[in-house]
Each structure stands twice: as structure tokens, then as C-alpha cells.
């Protein structure tokens, strides 16, 4: 029976060693410390995520507010631009109406001037025709009048000369012995 006890004591000794090793493992707190560190890191990470999430929400609120303000400004500017464009459009319409009326008045003036030009051309043609007719008559009559004056001068013994100061003035002188007189025509 001794052998059996010795065997038991060796098994028991082994068990005790295993138990001591297990107890040593439980008493080291390595795993507990690792779990504690992991939980501590998880808590820090959760706090950081919550802080980042809160910052993101605040940033989104600020951006939303800025977008609303910009939308309001855009609406106001659009209304202002529409009003300015409407006023500018009315101003341009008035200017266009004025320019059109001035253009119409100028067209009427041009038509009147065209008519006057045609009348003046007609008058010019008539005057040229009259001038040609007079010149023709003058040429036809000049020779005859010169001949008649020459004949008259020869018969009446009158000498004809032009005044040097005024070429349109003729002077005459009777050359007979009875009357030596000068006259101007």
C-alpha cells in the first residue's frame, strides 16, 4: 500500500504544482491589467468619438446656418437684381422709344429734304435751260445788235467806250462838229 500512497503523493504533488501555477497565473493580474488597459483605451476612444461626433454636429449646424444665411442673401440679391434689371429694362425701353421717334423724325426730315432736293434739281434744270436759251438768244441777237449799233454809230457818229471803273457802264461821245457831248448809259 505504500506504493499507492507514494503514487498519490506524486500525483498530489503534481496537482499542487499545477494548482500553484494556476494560482500564480490568477494572482499575476496580467490578463486583468490587459483587460483594464483595453477597457481604459475603449473608454478614451469612446470619449474621443463622442467629442468628434459632437464637433461634427456643431460644424454641421454652423454650415447649415451659413447655407441658410447665404440662401437668404442669394434670394435678396436675386430680388434686388430683378428689380434693377426691371428698372434698367424700363429705362432702355424709354430710350428705345425716344430713339425710334427721333429716327422717325429724321426719316421725315430726310423725305422733306429729298423732296426739296428734287425741287431744287428741277429748278436748276429749268434755270440751266433758261440760261442756255438766253445764251442762245444772246448769241443770236449779239451779232445782230452789234451790227445795228455799228450802223447806228456810223450814222449818228457816236463812239462807244466802257468805263474803266465799272465795266457795265457804257460811255458815248457825239463826234459831230455841232455837238461834241459825252453821255453815259
Amino acid at each position: 500500500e505504500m506504493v499507492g500512497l507514494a503514487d498519490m503523493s506524486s500525483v498530489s504533488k503534481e496537482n499542487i504544482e499545477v494548482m500553484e501555477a494556476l494560482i500564480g497565473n490568477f494572482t499575476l493580474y496580467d490578463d486583468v491589467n490587459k483587460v483594464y488597459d483595453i477597457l481604459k483605451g475603449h473608454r478614451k476612444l469612446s470619449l474621443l468619438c463622442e467629442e468628434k461626433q459632437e464637433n461634427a454636429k456643431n460644424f454641421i449646424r454652423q454650415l447649415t446656418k451659413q447655407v441658410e444665411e447665404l440662401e437668404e442673401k442669394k434670394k435678396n440679391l436675386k430680388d434686388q437684381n430683378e428689380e434693377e434689371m426691371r428698372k434698367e429694362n424700363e429705362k432702355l425701353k424709354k430710350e428705345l422709344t425716344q430713339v425710334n421717334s427721333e429716327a422717325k423724325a429724321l426719316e421725315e426730315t430726310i423725305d422733306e429734304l429729298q423732296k426739296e432736293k428734287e425741287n431744287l434739281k428741277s429748278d436748276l434744270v429749268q434755270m440751266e435751260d433758261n440760261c442756255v436759251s438766253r445764251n442762245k438768244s444772246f448769241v443770236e441777237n449779239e451779232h445782230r445788235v452789234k451790227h445795228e449799233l455799228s450802223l447806228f454809230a456810223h450814222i449818228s457818229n457816236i463812239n462807244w467806250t466802257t468805263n474803266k471803273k465799272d465795266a457795265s457802264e457804257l460811255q458815248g461821245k457825239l463826234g459831230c462838229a455841232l455837238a461834241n457831248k459825252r453821255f453815259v448809259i
Side-chain angles (χ1 to χ4, degrees), residues 2 10 21 40-41 47 90 94 98 100 115 127 149-150 155:
M2 271 307 226
S10 77
K40 191 174 160 184
L47 288 174
E90 289 175 9
K94 287 179 183 177
Q98 183 180 359
N100 282 339
K115 288 176 184 175
M127 289 175 137
L149 282 176
S150 176
I155 294 171

Side-chain angles (χ1 to χ4, degrees), residues 49-65:
C49 285
E50 286 176 15
E51 185 181 337
K52 292 288 183 185
Q53 200 171 22
E54 191 60 34
N55 287 341
K57 286 180 183 178
N58 286 336
F59 188 68
I60 289 172
R61 279 188 215 111
Q62 288 175 353
L63 286 177
T64 304
K65 186 176 178 181

Side-chain angles (χ1 to χ4, degrees), residues 1-46:
E1 274 195 35
M2 271 307 226
V3 172
L5 277 175
D7 285 338
M8 279 291 243
S9 74
S10 77
V11 170
S12 199
K13 197 177 187 185
E14 275 183 35
N15 283 339
I16 289 173
E17 287 176 3
V18 170
M19 291 294 281
E20 284 177 357
L22 286 174
I23 289 173
N25 280 342
F26 282 120
T27 58
L28 285 176
Y29 294 112
D30 284 344
D31 292 336
V32 173
N33 287 336
K34 286 181 184 178
V35 169
Y36 179 74
D37 288 342
I38 289 172
L39 286 175
K40 191 174 160 184
H42 184 270
R43 192 175 302 127
K44 282 183 181 180
L45 189 58
S46 293

Side-chain angles (χ1 to χ4, degrees), residues 109-123:
T109 303
I110 288 172
D111 289 342
E112 290 173 10
L113 290 173
Q114 268 314 96
K115 288 176 184 175
E116 188 175 335
K117 178 183 170 185
E118 292 300 320
N119 289 339
L120 289 174
K121 273 187 176 180
S122 173
D123 290 348

Side-chain angles (χ1 to χ4, degrees), residues 66-101:
Q66 286 178 352
V67 166
E68 289 171 355
E69 289 172 357
L70 289 174
E71 286 291 331
E72 185 66 27
K73 279 184 181 180
K74 177 184 170 186
K75 183 180 179 251
N76 291 340
L77 287 175
K78 185 177 179 184
D79 292 343
Q80 183 180 357
N81 282 342
E82 286 176 356
E83 180 66 20
E84 288 175 3
M85 287 172 53
R86 186 184 59 76
K87 286 180 181 178
E88 185 67 23
N89 194 17
E90 289 175 9
K91 180 183 172 186
L92 290 174
K93 282 181 182 178
K94 287 179 183 177
E95 289 177 4
L96 179 63
T97 303
Q98 183 180 359
V99 166
N100 282 339
S101 64

